[in-house]
Amino acid sequence: MSRFRAYYDYGIVIEYGNKRFIIDPLRKPGVSFNAVLITHGHRDHVNPRALHRASPIIMSKETAAIIRARDGDYLRHIAVGPGSRLFINDVLIESFNAGHVIGSLSYVLDFGDLRVGVTGDFNVEPSIILDGAKGLDVDVLIMEATYGDPDYVFPRRHELYNELRAVVEDGVKDGIAVFMGQPLGRGQELTVLLRDYPIYVEPSIKAINNILGLRYGMVADKPPPAGSVLITGIPKDITWFVKVLRSRYGKVRITALSGMYAKQSRVTRLRQFGVDAIPLSSHSDFPGLVDFVLSSGAKLVYTVYATPQNSRGT
Ligand SMILES: [Zn+2]
């Protein structure tokens, strides 16, 4: 254990003996690594411009496809998926479903006498499109803890799904129902959940959905007709967005989706703009994080990525 070191340097660096790996680097690495591992396609975990000369890059084929569709970057990579086992310089790299977004992976680096797990963003609760993440059997666990605060306890997903459907039923009667959330994550989950309704999907979500084979819904390249459901990202100016929708449709039900809305103070702030909120998240809630740690058997746990302070959770 004395030769082990883990730290954050625009990416999670893991060193053991003469081996060094980096996970989700956001800057061009200044030193050499045995491999670069990418957990998933969110922009705060992958920066294609930092990776053009990096080798080898390990990620899922879905993550590579998302980067290509969204950023126009093709990165040479070794494709792995849940259950993959791969040796890089005598280190066994195992990949596991992270349950966060399509293509998201957790990794275990097995150095022979030390197993180190890196969750990336993860969710222990299954959704309509993903299985939940299972505990990793490791000595050291490096775990994201976005909602690492006891205030964050999410209702069960099937309850949130029922709440969403009720909003849709009401919203489409004589107006429009609008859902705002992360294009990668909420975009696919809502598309599949609401596929039997007349859904329109904003172009950036549609591009990701198409590459992942989710062909439901029409592309919202112009304002959809009344009686539809619109699935969109989070607009920069919510006040303006609400005003435009109100003037066009009259009746609008706008709902923001993120785990941060498990905190009532954040919901209250949003209501001032005429926007409702449902705490549908791609991350584990606090009890989920605690259970995950306990089931890992880790002797040492690092947490990374803080509780979000702004309105753009990942
Ligand atoms: Zn993420």
Side-chain angles (χ1 to χ4, degrees):
M1 203 75 156
S2 59
R3 296 178 296 146
F4 172 76
R5 214 153 76 99
Y7 54 94
Y8 190 84
D9 182 21
Y10 297 97
I12 297 166
V13 179
I14 294 172
E15 294 176 355
Y16 189 59
N18 59 357
K19 307 282 173 21
R20 189 195 285 133
F21 293 85
I22 189 163
I23 293 98
D24 293 349
L26 296 178
R27 283 191 177 177
K28 199 175 287 236
V31 292
S32 64
F33 291 92
N34 295 96
V36 174
L37 286 75
I38 305 297
T39 60
H40 67 290
H42 277 149
R43 287 185 197 280
D44 57 341
H45 288 261
V46 61
N47 172 10
R49 278 177 301 168
L51 295 173
H52 281 152
R53 286 174 198 277
S55 176
I57 299 171
I58 296 167
M59 61 181 154
S60 69
K61 66 177 192 306
E62 292 87 355
T63 297
I66 290 162
I67 294 167
R68 193 168 197 177
R70 184 189 57 199
D71 305 321
D73 276 289
Y74 175 73
L75 298 170
R76 279 172 61 94
H77 64 282
I78 301 171
V80 292
S84 293
R85 293 160 60 84
L86 171 74
F87 277 97
I88 300 278
N89 300 110
D90 298 327
V91 179
L92 171 62
I93 298 175
E94 300 174 330
S95 308
F96 297 88
N97 164 49
H100 174 58
V101 297
I102 293 179
S104 64
L105 294 174
S106 300
Y107 296 106
V108 171
L109 280 62
D110 189 331
F111 294 93
D113 55 356
L114 183 74
R115 284 172 61 83
V116 182
V118 184
T119 62
D121 289 350
F122 76 108
N123 190 3
V124 294
E125 193 178 30
S127 74
I128 196 165
I129 51 172
L130 294 169
D131 293 331
K134 299 276 186 297
L136 302 172
D137 177 17
V138 292
D139 303 299
V140 178
L141 179 64
I142 301 172
M143 181 181 80
E144 71 97 349
T146 301
Y147 294 113
D149 171 334
D151 280 354
Y152 288 111
V153 181
F154 304 151
R156 298 281 61 88
R157 220 163 190 85
H158 68 89
E159 293 168 22
L160 297 175
Y161 285 168
N162 286 341
E163 203 180 327
L164 270 160
R165 288 193 193 98
V167 171
V168 170
E169 295 289 345
D170 180 60
V172 300
K173 262 186 229 152
D174 51 356
I176 188 168
V178 180
F179 294 102
M180 307 185 299
Q182 275 278 334
L184 174 56
R186 296 295 64 69
Q188 294 70 54
E189 187 174 11
L190 293 181
T191 299
V192 175
L193 182 72
L194 304 175
R195 63 187 181 275
D196 294 332
Y197 293 96
I199 55 172
Y200 285 77
V201 181
E202 77 156 43
S204 69
I205 297 176
K206 192 69 182 163
I208 295 174
N209 286 358
N210 283 346
I211 204 96
L212 296 173
L214 304 175
R215 308 223 169 254
Y216 312 112
M218 289 154 278
V219 62
D221 49 4
K222 55 182 186 298
S228 338
V229 179
L230 174 62
I231 300 169
T232 183
I234 300 163
K236 283 201 173 67
D237 185 344
I238 290 186
T239 316
W240 176 83
F241 185 65
V242 173
K243 210 168 136 186
V244 168
L245 288 171
R246 285 256 148 78
S247 66
R248 181 177 293 275
Y249 297 100
K251 188 186 162 196
V252 188
R253 286 208 59 171
I254 309 170
T255 309
L257 302 163
S258 165
M260 75 175 74
Y261 300 120
K263 268 196 180 169
Q264 194 52 42
S265 58
R266 291 183 182 275
V267 178
T268 309
R269 208 175 308 155
L270 211 54
R271 287 238 167 91
Q272 293 166 354
F273 300 106
V275 176
D276 293 321
I278 293 177
L280 187 74
S281 178
S282 312
H283 295 264
S284 305
D285 65 359
F286 186 78
L289 292 172
V290 173
D291 284 349
F292 192 86
V293 168
L294 295 176
S295 68
S296 75
K299 295 183 264 305
L300 179 62
V301 179
Y302 295 80
T303 56
V304 279
Y305 311 124
T307 301
Q309 295 302 312
N310 57 37
S311 64
R312 285 167 188 268
T314 54

